[in-house]
Amino acid sequence: MAVIKINNIRTYSFIGCMDEEKNIGSEYETNIEINFICDFNNINDNLKETVDYVAVSSVVNDEMKNKCNLLETAVYKIGNKLLKIDGKIRSVTVEIKKINPPIVGNALFVSVKDEFKR
């Protein structure tokens, strides 16, 4: 089993329950961890033998363009779409961080994280 991590995919998105969040938007960071089957002895420097992280990043960027109320919704959609892009993928962990959320206490970020398995 091998792991690919893609950290801090930055997007400007419109996720939130408050009208301001849906209209003004804010910055987000998404972290992805993919566990997949990979035989490093037979990889032959061929992209087909691994998971294309450009395709992974595209899924994240495309989904983060969609408006929704909850980070949980975006995490769920991204996780399930990532499982479908390559049969070698065994599990995916998705974490989305909302930077500077509109909450009392000036939090740096809030995040939601979940793991998706085949």
Side-chain angles (χ1 to χ4, degrees), residues 85-100:
I85 66 169
D86 195 313
K88 291 183 288 299
I89 296 173
R90 291 294 155 241
S91 69
V92 174
T93 300
V94 178
E95 178 185 34
I96 300 177
K97 296 178 180 181
K98 180 184 283 194
I99 308 303
N100 297 318

Side-chain angles (χ1 to χ4, degrees), residues 9 30 32 56-65 78 82:
I9 301 170
T30 302
I32 304 293
V56 172
S57 179
S58 292
V59 168
V60 171
N61 281 287
D62 289 347
E63 190 56 46
M64 291 300 286
K65 291 177 185 174
I78 290 169
L82 290 176

